[in-house]
Amino acid sequence: DTAVSQTPKYLVTQMGNDKSIKCEQNLGHDTMYWYKQDSKKFLKIMFSYNNKELIINETVPNRFSPKSPDKAHLNLHINSLELGDSAVYFCASGRVGTDTQYFGPGTRLTVL
Amino acid sequence: GNSVTQMEGPVTLSEEAFLTINCTYTATGYPSLFWYVQYPGEGLQLLLKATKADDKGSNKGFEATYRKETTSFHLEKGSVQVSDSAVYFCASLSDYKLSFGAGTTVTVRA
């Protein structure tokens, strides 16, 4: 029973392309997040949605657009991919009023 | 805003050695504090947490105590195993945002 799942696990693409990463959680949580982990393992939050509403939007290029069709899903669409977008992207979920966030397995994006 | 500073690795130990990874935080108020672990090729897993001063989080032989006076949350394990080889992240939570430290890579040799 996967709690937080992401697809695809690996994504290799050319510069300039547009790609999407999908995230789903079956924990019944109302808040979902996207994090970026760079090549030095540094993790930084990008976005957060609560009940399909954007509540956190860090300084991220507007080529990145999160979309939450419902509480269980938070997808990340990236336009005009650049070399610097290469990273591992983690989705996470949690419940407002509690502390713990549960992470997905990550999507390794490589931009050539 | 919140920030977390943790001891940078890599750290290499022999089995049964004592492990300490230092972590300090800066925050307004009293954030919840966490240690997450990332095993090779996997996502992050919550290892332990503490939500208020003097709380001690513990799991799998790891412990960390929330020290308000030193703004620290150091991770310790008395006797590590090869299976503890991973990247360990200290994190603080404020306004729904987790702020992570840079991660410490730990390698335990048999």
Side-chain angles (χ1 to χ4, degrees):
Chain A
D1 291 344
T2 305
V4 182
S5 60
Q6 297 178 225
T7 54
K9 189 171 172 65
Y10 300 97
L11 183 54
V12 181
T13 188
Q14 299 288 330
M15 262 184 5
N17 285 350
D18 303 337
K19 291 293 179 186
S20 292
I21 307 171
K22 296 186 176 181
C23 177
E24 176 180 4
Q25 54 94 4
N26 62 7
L27 297 168
H29 290 160
D30 48 15
T31 307
M32 296 183 72
Y33 308 81
W34 277 110
Y35 289 84
K36 179 180 180 181
Q37 185 177 45
D38 64 23
S39 58
K40 296 183 178 179
K41 301 283 188 184
F42 187 71
L43 270 158
K44 188 172 170 56
I45 190 165
M46 300 172 69
F47 301 103
S48 177
Y49 270 73
N50 175 255
N51 282 321
K52 301 195 299 175
E53 182 179 340
L54 183 66
I55 58 171
I56 296 173
N57 186 355
E58 294 296 284
T59 307
V60 176
N62 57 15
R63 298 182 294 104
F64 290 77
S65 52
K67 286 187 172 49
S68 182
D70 55 58
K71 283 198 310 182
H73 296 84
L74 180 61
N75 303 324
L76 184 65
H77 189 75
I78 315 170
N79 289 328
S80 303
L81 278 156
E82 300 178 356
L83 293 176
D85 298 332
S86 295
V88 181
Y89 292 85
F90 287 101
C91 177
S93 73
R95 197 184 297 280
V96 171
T98 66
D99 295 342
T100 304
Q101 295 182 17
Y102 296 84
F103 283 77
T107 296
R108 182 175 293 277
L109 171 66
T110 303
V111 182
L112 303 175
Chain B
N2 286 8
S3 67
V4 174
T5 302
Q6 69 179 93
M7 184 176 88
E8 292 196 29
V11 174
T12 302
L13 302 163
S14 298
E15 242 181 345
E16 299 183 6
F18 184 85
L19 171 67
T20 300
I21 305 176
N22 289 342
C23 172
T24 57
Y25 66 91
T26 58
T28 51
Y30 303 104
S32 295
L33 300 173
F34 305 81
W35 278 98
Y36 279 85
V37 59
Q38 186 177 24
Y39 297 104
E42 298 184 13
L44 277 78
Q45 301 175 26
L46 178 67
L47 181 59
L48 53 85
K49 69 177 185 181
T51 58
K52 62 183 187 297
D54 300 326
D55 265 3
K56 178 188 280 189
S58 60
N59 185 25
K60 299 182 181 180
F62 289 89
E63 291 184 341
T65 301
Y66 192 142
R67 301 282 188 204
K68 185 178 68 174
E69 60 279 8
T70 54
T71 62
S72 65
F73 193 55
H74 304 323
L75 182 68
E76 296 182 338
K77 185 171 184 179
S79 177
V80 293
Q81 305 300 314
V82 172
S83 57
D84 293 325
S85 299
V87 183
Y88 292 83
F89 293 91
C90 186
S92 70
L93 180 70
S94 179
D95 294 332
Y96 309 117
K97 286 192 283 188
L98 269 176
S99 297
F100 286 92
T104 302
T105 300
V106 174
T107 303
V108 181
R109 293 181 176 166

